[in-house]
Amino acid sequence: NAGVTQTPKFRVLKTGQSMTLLCAQDMNHEYMYWYRQDPGMGLRLIHYSVGEGTTAKGEVPDGYNVSRLKKQNFLLGLESAAPSQTSVYFCASSFSTTGNWEQYFGPGTRLTVT
Amino acid sequence: RKEVEQDPGPFNVPEGATVAFNCTYSNSASQSFFWYRQDCRKEPKLLMSVYSSGNEDGRFTAQLNRASQYISLLIRDSKLSDSATYLCVVNMLTGGFKTIFGAGTRLFVKA
């Protein structure tokens, strides 16, 4: 099993450009998440999904959109990149169990917006 | 006040030392608790879940105090390989799903 994979690993964008980050998991997890991690701050949830075809906003959703057309994939889109979106983006997934929700993370995407 | 707060660190300890991390959470509706480990420029990985009765995994012991709303992680006999950032994570159901990560505490174990 590959677990959680993310593409691309690195990207540099210019302000105003758009891009899509792809997350894939092969563990048959129901829940998937997108986080961003900035220096000195904890991971912050951007959007999440509790199942195929459903998405919900997290703590910092502005400037991002997501889609979950297939259970194994969760896409994060930036329609018009801004320097404030320079960050490391992590995707994660978990089973939809009550109580404990251990999350499995992908390796991250380092995005720089100039 | 942050919903999850951790010791600011960094902690610099010699090999063999015992080190303790504390984490406080503000929402009493918090349901499940974890410690994750994150190596430099890598993704977070689950270290251990934290149960009300306390739990141990080798050199690592986690404890939860619901009354005082804090969790702790104790590392005994520190190894060089324990050097990493330790993240406190709290899950809660308050009108919807919510996971809050602490900012992390950096640990350096020196020879």
Side-chain angles (χ1 to χ4, degrees):
Chain A
N1 287 350
V4 180
T5 58
Q6 292 182 233
T7 53
K9 287 187 169 50
F10 303 92
R11 186 72 185 269
V12 178
L13 287 180
K14 294 187 177 179
T15 297
Q17 287 185 318
S18 63
M19 77 165 294
T20 300
L21 282 67
L22 172 64
C23 176
Q25 53 95 3
D26 61 3
M27 297 175 282
N28 201 33
H29 285 170
E30 290 291 337
Y31 285 24
M32 296 187 75
Y33 319 82
W34 276 107
Y35 293 92
R36 61 177 288 172
Q37 187 175 35
D38 301 294
M41 303 184 73
L43 279 80
R44 291 182 292 167
L45 184 64
I46 303 170
H47 287 279
Y48 66 97
S49 168
V50 300
E52 182 179 318
T54 70
T55 63
K57 293 180 180 180
E59 181 184 357
V60 289
D62 294 342
Y64 305 94
N65 56 75
V66 288
S67 64
R68 183 104 180 263
L69 299 180
K70 293 183 178 181
K71 185 177 183 178
Q72 63 268 35
N73 295 337
F74 195 28
L75 278 63
L76 178 72
L78 286 73
E79 289 186 347
S80 180
S84 61
Q85 294 177 305
T86 293
S87 189
V88 180
Y89 292 85
F90 287 103
C91 175
S93 69
S94 68
F95 287 108
S96 64
T97 56
T98 55
N100 277 343
W101 302 299
E102 177 187 349
Q103 296 185 28
Y104 296 82
F105 284 83
T109 295
R110 295 183 182 279
L111 175 66
T112 301
V113 182
T114 62
Chain B
R1 183 187 172 192
K2 292 182 181 178
E3 291 190 86
V4 174
E5 293 198 72
Q6 295 187 239
D7 292 336
F11 285 25
N12 293 285
V13 302
E15 271 188 296
T18 295
V19 60
F21 301 136
N22 293 317
C23 170
T24 58
Y25 60 95
S26 60
N27 194 322
S28 59
S30 301
Q31 291 196 320
S32 54
F33 310 87
F34 306 87
W35 284 101
Y36 278 72
R37 169 193 170 128
Q38 186 173 25
D39 292 295
C40 190
R41 302 180 74 84
K42 298 286 189 180
E43 72 272 24
K45 292 185 179 178
L46 180 69
L47 179 65
M48 57 197 304
S49 302
V50 187
Y51 303 116
S52 297
S53 56
N55 47 302
E56 188 173 305
D57 183 3
R59 298 182 292 109
F60 300 84
T61 300
Q63 292 192 317
L64 166 65
N65 185 320
R66 284 191 182 270
S68 301
Q69 294 184 196
Y70 81 80
I71 67 174
S72 63
L73 176 68
L74 185 75
I75 305 176
R76 292 181 299 278
D77 189 23
S78 298
K79 311 292 184 190
L80 295 175
S81 57
D82 293 333
S83 296
T85 297
Y86 291 83
L87 308 175
C88 170
V89 183
V90 175
N91 283 346
M92 58 188 81
L93 276 177
T94 52
F97 160 83
K98 197 171 184 181
T99 290
I100 305 294
F101 283 76
T105 302
R106 190 79 186 271
L107 172 66
F108 295 98
V109 181
K110 301 171 294 184

